[in-house]
Amino acid sequence: MTQHAPTKTSGPNKLVIRNIGLLLGGDLDRPVLDADTVVAIDGVIRSVGKEKDIDTAGTTTTIDAKGTALAPGLIDSHVHPVCGDWTPRQNQLGWIDSCLHGGVTTMVSAGEVHTPGRPKDIVGLKAMAIFAQRAFQAFRPGGVKVYAGAPVLEQGMVEDDFKELAAAGVKFLGEVGLGSVKDGTTGGRMVAWARKYGIQSTIHTGGPSIPGSSLIDKDMVLETDADVIGHVNGGHTALPDDQIVALCERSTRALEIVHNGNERAALLALRSAKELKQLHRVILGTDSPAGSGVQPLGILRMISMLSSLGEIPAEVAICLATGNTANMRCLNCGLIAAGREASFVFLDVAQQSAGRNLLDSIQKGDLAGVGMVITDGAVSIQRSRNTPPATRAPELVRA
C-alpha cells in the first residue's frame, strides 16, 4: 500500500504505536530507548515511554509493532531530484517512492543538476531553484519529504541573490564546484553569504563525477568551509587518504559518506571520525540518481556496511542516518522524541539471516527487513517490496 501525505481529518489524528520490541531513538548519546510505546498527534510525536504510563485515550490509529524495532525514518542527505518522481539521469520513474520502500522518509537535494538544459545564468538558476523548492514542498512521492531547490553556485552571484533565495524559501545550496565557481576564495565568499541568510551549503569532494565537473581537493574544501563536506569518500572518485584524514582533522563540518562513493575511503573517514571522537559529524547519503543508478536500499546498505566493516554497533550506525543527519541538516525529524516529526520505519531481522536478532544481523552485514513505513503520522507502506522479507511485521490494528 502506498499513499501520499496524510490529509487532515475533522479532529486530531492520534497515532499509538504499541508493543515495540526495540526502540532505536536516533541519538548517538542514547541510541536505544527504554520504551515500548510512542504516541503522535497530527504528525508530531507527543510522548515516548511505557504503555502503562502513557495516555492512549482517543486513539484514531493503532499499530501493534508485534515486537519489531521502531526507528526514525531514514534520511538521505544527498540526492539529485529533477521533476516529480522522475530522473532523466536514468530515465526512471518512481525512484523516490522506491526509496521509501528502503525506509527513507526524508531527502535533501544537493542540486537539481541533472535537469536537461539546466540554466546557468543567475536569473535562470534562481528561478529553477525556487520552482523546485515550491514543487517538492507541494508534492511528496509516497509521502517522502524532499527538501529541493538547491542552486548551484555560478560566477557573478552577489549577496542580494542569496537574500532573495532565502526569502523565497530556499534552504540549501547545491554542491559547490558543480557550477562555474571552482576556487575556494569565491566559493568561501558565497558560502558565507548563504550562511548569513540561513542557507546551508555542501561542497563536492573528490574527482569529477560526470564529464564537465572538476576535481575538488582538500585545499578548496577547507578554504570554502561549506557546512557539509559532500561525499567525503568521493562521488565516485575519492581523494588520497591523507587528504581525507586532513579534512576530518582540520575541519569541524559534517562528514558526509555516500553509497555512490569509494567504500574503502568511507571506512577511512569513519575510522578517522571515531579516533577524533567526532562521530556526531558523520552523516549518510546515496548521491543518487547518478551514473550508477538509483539505490532504493542505499541507506540501509550503508548502515550495514559501516556497522559490519567499520566495527560500530548497529544502533550507532542507524544514528548516522537519522539523528546525526537531522542535526547537521537542521531538520525536525530523525529522532524519536517529543516534538519531532512522526516519521518512522519498522525493522526486523530478515528471514533466514544468520543474525540472532536485528542488530546482530546488521552487524554481520545483512540488510534489515522493512515491515512498515510511517510519514507524518500516517502509514505510507506496509511490507516493503524491496527489502528482504522481515521475519515479523507490525499490524495496523485500527485506522
Side-chain angles (χ1 to χ4, degrees):
M1 178 183 74
T2 300
Q3 65 183 40
H4 290 280
T7 55
K8 181 70 175 174
T9 58
S10 56
N13 177 23
K14 185 171 183 177
L15 167 71
V16 172
I17 305 172
R18 56 178 299 275
N19 197 21
I20 300 166
L22 175 67
L23 191 50
L24 300 164
D27 186 347
L28 273 181
D29 293 330
R30 288 184 64 206
V32 177
L33 301 179
D34 183 20
D36 59 17
T37 303
V38 173
V39 175
I41 297 178
D42 289 338
V44 177
I45 298 172
R46 176 64 61 88
S47 53
V48 180
K50 297 292 188 180
E51 185 171 8
K52 63 182 178 59
D53 301 322
I54 290 181
D55 176 16
T56 59
T59 302
T60 54
T61 303
T62 301
I63 295 172
D64 184 347
K66 298 288 186 179
T68 60
L70 183 73
L74 305 180
I75 306 169
D76 190 335
S77 172
H78 195 125
V79 296
H80 291 292
V82 172
C83 183
D85 206 357
W86 168 69
T87 169
R89 184 73 176 144
Q90 295 294 337
N91 195 24
Q92 182 172 338
L93 289 168
W95 70 275
I96 297 174
D97 179 78
S98 202
C99 292
L100 176 74
H101 283 259
V104 172
T105 58
T106 305
M107 294 178 167
V108 178
S109 174
E112 294 74 42
V113 293
H114 300 152
T115 302
R118 174 173 67 87
K120 299 180 182 179
D121 65 290
I122 296 170
V123 172
L125 73 86
K126 288 192 294 185
M128 190 178 81
I130 294 168
F131 164 76
Q133 186 272 334
R134 295 285 197 279
F136 279 100
Q137 187 177 50
F139 176 62
R140 296 179 57 180
V144 177
K145 185 174 290 185
V146 182
Y147 290 91
V152 172
L153 297 185
E154 300 287 357
Q155 293 286 352
M157 295 182 76
V158 297
E159 182 174 344
D160 279 350
D161 293 319
F162 297 91
K163 183 178 180 180
E164 179 185 347
L165 286 164
V170 170
K171 297 185 180 301
F172 299 96
L173 291 184
E175 291 177 70
V176 178
L178 296 188
S180 57
V181 174
K182 305 289 189 184
D183 66 283
T185 301
T186 305
R189 181 171 64 251
M190 292 185 179
V191 161
W193 286 335
R195 190 175 290 133
K196 177 179 178 179
Y197 295 105
I199 300 175
Q200 192 182 79
S201 56
T202 297
I203 189 166
H204 178 93
T205 308
S209 55
I210 57 176
S213 59
S214 305
L215 166 69
I216 304 295
D217 65 8
K218 74 167 175 55
D219 293 330
M220 181 173 172
V221 172
L222 291 171
E223 186 176 6
T224 302
D225 193 32
D227 298 296
V228 175
I229 300 175
H231 47 62
V232 69
N233 61 318
H236 304 272
T237 308
L239 293 173
D241 288 2
D242 61 335
Q243 293 199 32
I244 293 173
V245 172
L247 290 175
C248 295
E249 292 178 345
R250 294 171 56 187
S251 172
T252 60
R253 303 301 184 181
L255 300 167
E256 183 186 74
I257 298 176
V258 301
H259 181 277
N260 285 349
N262 181 314
E263 292 180 342
R264 192 189 66 82
L267 295 170
L268 172 63
L270 179 71
R271 183 168 63 250
S272 298
K274 282 171 54 183
E275 290 172 355
L276 292 166
K277 294 182 170 40
Q278 294 178 7
L279 206 57
H280 66 279
R281 293 171 57 199
V282 178
I283 64 178
L284 304 186
T286 59
D287 194 8
S288 65
S292 59
V294 174
Q295 296 78 33
L297 306 184
I299 297 298
L300 284 175
R301 289 176 60 83
M302 289 296 296
I303 289 169
S304 293
M305 189 272 284
L306 295 176
S307 177
S308 60
L309 300 181
E311 299 180 343
I312 59 174
E315 60 270 28
V316 169
I318 288 170
C319 293
L320 308 185
T322 54
N324 269 22
T325 304
N327 290 338
M328 286 292 181
R329 289 294 194 177
C330 302
L331 304 175
N332 191 37
C333 56
L335 295 172
I336 298 183
R340 294 280 181 156
E341 294 173 9
S343 293
F344 311 108
V345 57
F346 291 81
L347 304 170
D348 198 33
V349 58
Q351 293 177 17
Q352 307 307 314
S353 169
R356 299 184 308 276
N357 52 45
L358 171 68
L359 298 180
D360 186 52
S361 70
I362 293 172
Q363 194 80 52
K364 285 181 166 64
D366 282 343
L367 295 178
V370 170
M372 182 181 287
V373 176
I374 291 174
T375 55
D376 285 344
V379 177
S380 289
I381 63 163
Q382 295 192 37
R383 275 190 182 271
S384 168
R385 67 172 184 257
N386 290 334
T387 64
T391 301
R392 299 168 295 175
E395 178 184 352
L396 181 59
V397 177
R398 177 185 177 190

